[in-house]
Amino acid sequence: MEEAKKHCVSVVIPLYNEERSLDELYRRLTAVLEGAAARHELIFVDDGSTDGSLEIIRRLRSGDRRVKIIGFSRNYGKSPALSEGFRAARGDVVVTIDADLQDNPDEIPGLIARLDDGYDLVSGWKQDRKDPITKTWPSKLFNAVTSLASGIRLHDFNCGLKAYRVDVVKRVRVYGELHRFIPVLAGWEGFRIGEQRVSHSERRFGRSKYGASRLLNGMFDLMTVMFITRRATTPLHLFGRIAFLFLAGGGLINLYFLVQWIMGEGLHVRPLMVLGLIMIVISIQIGSIGLLAELQSSTMQQTFSYREYEVDDQ
Ligand code: UDP
Ligand code: MG
C-alpha cells in the first residue's frame, strides 16, 4: 500500500474550564500526531477559563513550543474560540477537537485520510453518542431539521471533531454560535463535505457547558444561516415577494369595498375591511425592511472563494 501523504496539521482546541482533562489530552494528541503528521501544532484557545486551565497549558508550552496559547480575557463562546484558532493556524490541514476527552484523538488520522480522498471538510459522526438523553434527542431533531433545510446531508453537524483543508477555515466566518453550522457555511461555498464515524466517550471531568436551551437557539441560528447563505446579497427578492403578496391581498379587499361605495352602498367597518387595511400596513413594513436589508448588503464588499484563478499580470 502506498504510504499516506503527511501533512502539517494544526489542531485547534477550544476549552473552557477543562483543567482536569488537559494533560491527558496533550499526551494523547502528541502521541497520535507524531506518527500521523509531518509537523503539527496544538493551538489551545482558552475561552476565559476561571479554573487552572491556563496555568496547565502554560506549563505544557514551556516544555513544547508546538503548543500555542490564545487566552481570552472572558468567556466569549466556542465559536469565537474556534474562529481565533483558525486565524492562527499555519498547517495545511486543520483539525478541531473538544478539550473534554469526549472526542478520541486516535480518530484524527482517519479523518485526515478522508481529506486525501478529495474532501475539503470531514466531519465526525458520533453514531454512538455517550451523553444524557436530554441532549441526544434534541440533538437528533436539530440534525434532522438542519440537514433537511440546508441540503447538506450529515448526521451530526455539531461534532467537535472535524478535519479541514486550511482554505475552508480561512474562508468561513464563525461568529455567535454558528460553529454548529460550519458544514452548511462551507458547503454553500462549494467545498466538498464528507462524514466519518468516530467513537465518543462520556465526560469524565468537569461539566457540559451547554443545556437544552441550545435547541431553541439552534433553530434561530439555522434561520440566520439559511438567510446569510441564500439571501444575503439580494434580500429584497425575498422581502419584496412577501410584501407584494400582502399588498395584493389587502388591495383586492379594499377594491371590493371601493366598488361597493361607488355603487352607492353605505360603508360600514367590517372585519374584512380591517383585515384589508392591516395587510396593506404589513406590506409597507415588510417592504421597508427589505429595502433596509438591501441597503446594508449594497455596502457589503462581496468576496469570493476560487477553485482556480489564473490571470496574467497587465
Ligand atoms: N467550550 C468553549 N467555550 C464555551 C463552551 C464550551 O470553549 O463557552 C468548549 C468546551 O471546553 C469543550 C467544547 O467547547 O472543549 C465542547 O463543549 P462541551 O463539552 O461543554 O459541549 P458538549 O460536549 O456537552 O456538547
Ligand atoms: Mg463535551
Side-chain angles (χ1 to χ4, degrees), residues 142-296:
F142 171 83
N143 283 313
V145 173
T146 305
S147 171
L148 212 68
S150 67
I152 305 287
R153 298 282 170 245
L154 288 185
H155 293 88
D156 187 2
F157 285 85
N158 195 20
C159 185
L161 192 52
K162 290 186 172 69
Y164 309 81
R165 269 178 221 288
V166 68
D167 322 0
V168 179
V169 306
K170 301 289 183 190
R171 176 68 191 165
V172 293
R173 237 164 50 78
V174 192
Y175 67 94
E177 294 200 8
L178 294 193
H179 59 270
R180 291 176 209 135
F181 298 94
I182 295 177
V184 179
L185 297 169
W188 180 252
E189 295 274 356
F191 292 115
R192 284 149 301 187
I193 315 293
E195 186 171 52
Q196 168 103 334
R197 286 190 185 88
V198 294
S199 54
H200 191 240
S201 312
E202 277 167 31
R203 195 181 244 285
R204 279 165 32 213
F205 311 111
R207 277 192 288 129
S208 169
K209 315 302 180 297
Y210 297 103
S213 74
R214 72 169 161 190
L215 182 67
L216 192 61
N217 289 338
M219 292 302 157
F220 294 139
D221 288 335
L222 177 62
M223 284 169 60
T224 306
V225 167
M226 296 307 287
F227 195 79
I228 59 183
T229 50
R230 269 144 228 249
R231 289 290 167 203
T233 51
T234 55
L236 199 55
H237 289 188
L238 176 68
F239 287 104
R241 272 189 182 80
I242 302 173
F244 180 76
L245 280 179
F246 274 95
L247 187 66
L252 281 177
I253 291 171
N254 282 303
L255 187 68
Y256 164 74
F257 286 109
L258 180 68
V259 171
Q260 277 201 333
W261 182 67
I262 289 170
M263 313 246 284
E265 276 186 52
L267 281 191
H268 311 281
V269 177
R270 286 172 47 185
L272 187 65
M273 191 189 266
V274 176
L275 179 70
L277 288 174
I278 290 178
M279 285 175 79
I280 290 177
V281 174
I282 290 178
S283 85
I284 294 170
Q285 285 181 327
I286 293 181
S288 344
I289 291 174
L291 278 172
L292 283 180
E294 193 71 34
L295 188 67
Q296 153 97 45

Side-chain angles (χ1 to χ4, degrees), residues 14 47 72 76-86 174-180 182 210:
D47 187 13
F72 284 160
Y76 283 90
K78 190 175 176 183
S79 290
L82 287 174
S83 175
E84 278 298 289
F86 289 163
V174 192
Y175 67 94
E177 294 200 8
L178 294 193
H179 59 270
R180 291 176 209 135
I182 295 177
Y210 297 103

Side-chain angles (χ1 to χ4, degrees), residues 13-18 25 45-49 72 75-82 97-103 126 129 131-132 135 158 160 179 200-201 203 207-211 214:
I13 309 145
L15 64 115
Y16 178 50
N17 293 344
E18 308 283 6
L25 181 70
V45 189
D46 175 42
D47 187 13
S49 296
F72 284 160
N75 179 232
Y76 283 90
K78 190 175 176 183
S79 290
L82 287 174
I97 188 167
D98 285 354
D100 55 4
L101 297 173
Q102 289 196 272
D103 298 329
K126 313 178 290 275
R129 186 172 172 184
D131 273 320
K135 290 181 87 153
N158 195 20
H179 59 270
H200 191 240
S201 312
R203 195 181 244 285
R207 277 192 288 129
S208 169
K209 315 302 180 297
Y210 297 103
R214 72 169 161 190

